[in-house]
Amino acid sequence: MGVFLRTLIEKFSKDSRAGLQRNIAITWICYEGSNSNSWNSGIGAGWLEETLFYPASVVKLFYGCAIETWLHKDLLVDCSEIRRAMAEMIVHSSNDATGYLVDLLTATTSGPALNGKNWEVWKKQRNWINDWLNSFDWEEFCSINCCQKTWNDGPFGREKDFYGKSLQNRNALSTIATARLLESIMNDSLLTAKSTKDLKKLLFRSLDLVERKADSDNQVDGFLGEGLPIGTKLWSKAGLMSEARNDAACFITPNNIKMLLIVFTQGQKLANDVSLLPAIAAELSKWKSKEKTLSP
């Protein structure tokens, strides 16, 4: 698998994507069986999968899991407004909804700059999501950072200060960490049964061409889902901004090819490249043999 992945990256690099090897990260896992509730037994390959990239809206996957955890622990009171915000964040990738949920998770708000003790308390609380992720004691989570809101134009006030002068405190994820989280959602080991069911429902993407045409923000076109055959069952969360085009996906094709695929890119050229992620998904989804046996 590793040789196949490396060869594929080299191929796409030669196709007018100079420097691709330095600006893309991939985690790719193939699973046995076609049961949509079984995502445990698999083999995989990766490329720069431990390297930290700016995740863009893929971080919303982590915030969604945090919300479900806070609700289960009675740290938040479940209500229709939280559910509306969750749907807007995961289905439509709303930054406004994400900001609202990050405030709820951390008991913080945006606003003017803070000083002294108030500033120190605010920063400590904003890191509650990171504290929760660190509590898993998973090696994949040891260096990631999930403490910032997502923006249309960028942060202001205390939010800008929190990024640091060199933006050193901006969100950062690796594909392997994202794969660990998404796999844990899919195999029902991270959240309660109800929370898992609710979150999977929000992550499910239709590949129907008519539905996609009606929704310009469908998180399929220009991302991994576009490269998959119609009829594929797809659960995903995409991320897009001026310097990143990312996607985190699990899928089962009509011929029962079952995979997890996380792809992060960086740089304006790759962010504007609408064909790369679909092409990667198309190639990797065909890797498994017709006999459905895994080979190295």
Side-chain angles (χ1 to χ4, degrees), residues 30-43:
C30 296
Y31 296 89
E32 294 281 11
S34 59
N35 186 332
S36 61
N37 292 320
S38 177
W39 297 83
N40 295 299
S41 178
I43 63 171

Side-chain angles (χ1 to χ4, degrees), residues 204-220:
F204 189 79
R205 310 290 175 219
S206 172
L207 298 189
D208 180 82
L209 294 174
V210 175
E211 291 184 35
R212 285 157 55 183
K213 187 175 181 180
D215 179 9
S216 59
D217 298 322
N218 55 55
Q219 300 189 64
V220 172

Side-chain angles (χ1 to χ4, degrees), residues 1 3 34 78 80 115 193 210 216 221 277:
M1 288 180 72
V3 173
S34 59
D78 205 346
S80 60
N115 294 306
V210 175
S216 59
D221 293 312
L277 267 62

Side-chain angles (χ1 to χ4, degrees), residues 4-292:
F4 185 89
L5 181 60
R6 182 171 65 251
T7 301
L8 188 64
I9 293 172
E10 291 173 354
K11 170 189 172 183
F12 286 127
S13 177
K14 293 175 183 178
D15 188 17
S16 302
R17 297 184 181 93
L20 178 64
Q21 293 95 329
R22 301 186 303 273
N23 294 299
I24 191 169
I26 299 175
T27 296
W28 171 40
I29 303 174
C30 296
Y31 296 89
E32 294 281 11
S34 59
N35 186 332
S36 61
N37 292 320
S38 177
W39 297 83
N40 295 299
S41 178
I43 63 171
W47 181 269
L48 297 184
E49 60 180 358
E50 297 181 359
T51 302
L52 295 177
F53 278 60
Y54 182 69
S57 289
V58 174
V59 76
K60 296 168 183 176
L61 184 64
F62 287 73
Y63 294 158
C65 291
I67 284 290
E68 293 292 354
T69 300
W70 267 234
L71 290 169
H72 177 64
K73 292 182 177 180
D74 291 327
L75 298 174
L76 292 173
V77 177
D78 205 346
C79 63
S80 60
E81 196 66 0
I82 288 179
R83 293 301 170 185
R84 182 174 76 92
M86 278 281 285
E88 289 297 319
M89 179 177 72
I90 301 297
V91 178
H92 303 295
S93 211
S94 165
N95 291 331
D96 291 341
T98 304
Y100 167 70
L101 293 174
V102 169
D103 283 347
L104 292 183
L105 288 167
T106 61
T108 59
T109 60
S110 302
L114 294 171
N115 294 306
K117 184 177 179 180
N118 288 338
W119 179 226
E120 296 305 315
V121 170
W122 190 95
K123 290 188 291 183
K124 182 177 181 179
Q125 291 179 201
R126 184 54 75 81
N127 273 298
W128 282 350
I129 302 167
N130 282 327
D131 293 341
W132 168 66
L133 292 170
N134 289 332
S135 72
F136 287 92
D137 199 25
W138 290 352
E139 182 179 354
E140 296 89 346
F141 284 4
C142 67
S143 59
I144 65 175
N145 187 40
C146 298
C147 63
Q148 304 288 357
K149 297 180 179 181
T150 54
W151 306 98
N152 294 326
D153 299 314
F156 294 86
R158 68 189 67 162
E159 300 284 357
K160 178 73 160 47
D161 294 340
F162 192 48
Y163 267 65
K165 292 182 179 180
S166 303
L167 305 182
Q168 66 270 22
N169 194 37
R170 71 176 188 169
N171 288 334
L173 289 174
S174 63
T175 58
I176 191 66
T178 307
R180 182 71 188 266
L181 185 83
L182 183 55
E183 183 183 75
S184 298
I185 295 170
M186 298 306 295
N187 66 24
D188 301 340
S189 65
L190 182 70
L191 305 169
T192 66
K194 181 182 183 305
S195 294
T196 299
K197 182 179 179 181
D198 290 343
L199 191 53
K200 283 182 181 179
K201 184 176 180 181
L202 297 178
L203 291 169
F204 189 79
R205 310 290 175 219
S206 172
L207 298 189
D208 180 82
L209 294 174
V210 175
E211 291 184 35
R212 285 157 55 183
K213 187 175 181 180
D215 179 9
S216 59
D217 298 322
N218 55 55
Q219 300 189 64
V220 172
D221 293 312
F223 297 97
L224 297 172
E226 184 183 347
L228 301 174
I230 299 297
T232 295
K233 294 179 180 178
L234 171 66
W235 300 263
S236 71
K237 183 69 198 78
L240 177 64
M241 51 86 70
S242 61
E243 296 287 335
R245 180 179 290 269
N246 306 329
D247 203 0
C250 284
F251 57 87
I252 306 174
T253 67
N255 58 340
N256 291 328
I257 302 302
K258 184 176 180 181
M259 294 183 179
L260 177 150
L261 181 58
I262 315 292
V263 181
F264 287 176
T265 68
Q266 60 186 5
Q268 187 175 29
K269 185 176 181 180
L270 293 178
N272 292 330
D273 190 335
V274 298
S275 63
L276 178 59
L277 267 62
I280 290 173
E283 292 287 345
L284 294 184
S285 65
K286 297 174 184 175
W287 175 80
K288 219 173 180 186
S289 70
K290 293 180 180 179
E291 291 77 21
K292 305 173 186 175

